[in-house]
Amino acid sequence: MPEYPHLGWDPAPGSPSAIAALQKKLSTSATALGTAHRLVDELLGESTYWRGEAADAFRGALDGDLPRHLKNAHRSVSEAASKLRVWHDDLVGYQATARRYDTRAKLDAAALTRAESHQENVRSTPDLPEAELRAAGEAVTKAREALESVRRLARELEETHRVGAGRVARALNEATERVAPPEPGALRRTINWIDDNLGDSLSLLSATLGLVAIFVSAPVAVPLLFAAAGLSLAALVSHAADPKHGAALKAGFTTGKLDSQFWSSAVALSGDALGALPGVGAVAQGAKGLATATRTGIAAEHGASATLSSGARAFGTDSVAAMREANEAPTPVLDWAVRRAGARSETPIQAGAAGSAVVTSAVGLTPANENDTVKNTATTVDGSRLAVSDAPGAGVAAARTWAQLAR
């Protein structure tokens, strides 16, 4: 905290760096809450294509208070961050003014000391004219008034600081009372839960979209599959950055500690990677179409606008075609089961595989996941699904994508 020795007190207390750090944390939290609210809102919108008891249960789990609390929490934290940003800038200005006043007080105090010393010398000198004695006294008075003037300005600055701090405090309280979740501590619990479970939540959303895509028509399924792949990629990034998963994998590969945590982390990251792979491949295929169309347009001198339009159409067409092809890639084990059970069993078998991902992802977000038996069972189910369904299908899709890119 700055000191103002020549004023004698601190007229503008506060730490701009601490306020800036808190404001940054609140802004980050507000962004996370906004993203979570949009994902839930979009997922609820997409779920209208899904019918049946399972769909009703799914919408019931996400609907209700959760979207409202996420939206209110986002607004509350965003407003608090905005108020703190303004207060930070005001405080920086107040403290700069206080430093100027302290410098002036230093100069005025030195001038007063010199004037008082001169007055003492004049008084001790015999037979000096009265006018000189009076001038020495007036110099002391003027120097003292100058020092009192700057200290008065500092007291006015202190009052301005006090009023501003009170105004910001009231604004923050009003923001919290107006838009934060009504439960005591609910906002903090929501932020902490999102922070602790972001990767698992994204995996659940991705798995759910994959399940919904099985029951809808192709034009609707493709956007859902792209969204599911994007969520899987985000989950992969979140899980990879989680120290818990990093420590478990490192212990397994370096010391051979292949315990349940190692397999749980390995399966989670593998599932995220396989879920993201179709989207990455489709985007890569679309990017190739964009590059080809752009080169063709430039060579034919079609003009920038026409070339960009052609490239955008090529990107959309090729990426959608690649995603459809990836979705239709054969999965040897499931296809064998469909041949054995009959064509009518295709959708139920696919839904069973996709539904198992939804169930295990949901279990991972509940207290039941703390039970070792439940957790190990979920890991086994996920690992088995990856081995018999996701990995073979992703492998075939990746090979096809690579073949297309290599042409």
Side-chain angles (χ1 to χ4, degrees):
M1 181 176 294
E3 296 180 358
Y4 307 94
H6 305 290
L7 290 175
W9 80 99
D10 186 351
S15 172
S17 60
I19 294 172
L22 177 58
Q23 189 272 331
K24 183 178 180 180
K25 290 181 180 179
L26 288 177
S27 295
T28 301
S29 297
T31 300
L33 287 166
T35 300
H37 175 257
R38 285 193 298 274
L39 286 174
V40 170
D41 193 50
E42 291 172 3
L43 188 55
L44 284 170
E46 295 291 352
S47 70
T48 57
Y49 297 103
W50 188 12
R51 296 289 185 268
E53 294 183 3
D56 294 339
F58 170 73
R59 284 188 289 270
L62 288 186
D63 207 353
D65 290 338
L66 177 60
R68 177 172 59 85
H69 284 339
L70 285 174
K71 181 179 180 180
N72 289 346
H74 172 247
R75 291 173 56 197
S76 177
V77 177
S78 296
E79 187 169 345
S82 177
K83 297 296 183 183
L84 283 178
R85 186 184 303 110
V86 173
W87 175 239
H88 169 271
D89 294 342
D90 289 345
L91 182 58
V92 169
Y94 294 154
Q95 292 184 348
T97 302
R99 286 192 292 271
R100 290 198 300 270
Y101 289 164
D102 189 63
T103 300
R104 284 181 54 184
K106 177 182 178 181
L107 298 175
D108 291 341
L112 176 60
T113 299
R114 290 194 300 270
E116 289 175 340
S117 177
H118 177 66
Q119 185 184 46
E120 289 299 322
N121 290 335
V122 168
R123 285 175 177 174
S124 63
T125 301
D127 302 327
L128 278 177
E130 183 65 25
E132 191 169 343
L133 288 172
R134 187 167 55 253
E138 290 175 353
V140 170
T141 300
K142 183 178 180 181
R144 185 174 292 115
E145 287 176 350
L147 181 59
E148 285 301 318
S149 175
V150 72
R151 286 177 174 168
R152 183 171 58 255
L153 290 174
R155 284 190 288 272
E156 292 175 359
L157 174 64
E158 182 179 31
E159 177 63 15
T160 302
H161 173 279
R162 184 190 67 79
V163 172
R167 183 169 58 249
V168 170
R170 288 192 298 274
L172 293 177
N173 288 334
E174 289 171 2
T176 302
E177 292 171 0
R178 184 169 62 253
V179 297
E183 299 84 3
L187 173 60
R188 174 53 52 190
R189 290 197 300 272
T190 300
I191 295 174
N192 289 341
W193 188 89
I194 292 173
D195 185 51
D196 293 339
N197 300 281
L198 180 59
D200 292 342
S201 300
L202 292 171
S203 294
L204 173 59
L205 293 175
S206 176
T208 303
L209 290 181
L211 176 59
V212 174
I214 294 174
F215 296 98
V216 298
S217 60
V220 178
V222 170
L224 292 179
L225 292 172
F226 271 111
L231 289 169
S232 287
L233 183 59
L236 176 62
V237 173
S238 179
H239 281 146
D242 189 338
K244 177 183 66 177
H245 291 304
L249 294 175
K250 181 178 180 181
F253 289 119
T254 59
T255 66
K257 187 180 180 182
L258 305 180
D259 56 2
S260 61
Q261 184 57 52
F262 168 83
W263 290 112
S264 176
S265 298
V267 168
L269 268 69
S270 298
D272 293 337
L274 291 173
L277 192 58
V280 174
V283 171
Q285 187 66 32
K288 180 184 177 183
L290 170 63
T292 301
T294 301
R295 286 195 301 269
T296 301
I298 293 174
E301 299 181 352
H302 288 162
S305 179
T307 299
L308 290 176
S309 177
S310 176
R313 287 195 301 271
F315 177 85
T317 301
D318 289 359
S319 59
V320 168
M323 178 58 79
R324 286 177 176 171
E325 187 174 356
N327 188 47
E328 295 169 358
T331 51
V333 176
L334 294 187
D335 291 346
W336 174 84
V338 170
R339 289 194 298 271
R340 296 281 295 181
R344 292 184 177 181
S345 66
E346 181 176 5
T347 298
I349 288 176
Q350 290 178 344
S356 69
V358 175
V359 172
T360 54
S361 297
V363 168
L365 293 171
T366 66
N369 197 51
E370 299 298 324
N371 183 289
D372 289 341
T373 301
V374 173
K375 185 175 181 179
N376 293 339
T377 300
T379 300
T380 301
V381 172
D382 284 339
S384 300
R385 186 187 66 259
L386 294 181
V388 303
S389 175
D390 295 0
V396 173
R400 290 180 175 180
T401 299
W402 177 256
Q404 291 288 336
L405 293 175
R407 289 180 181 176

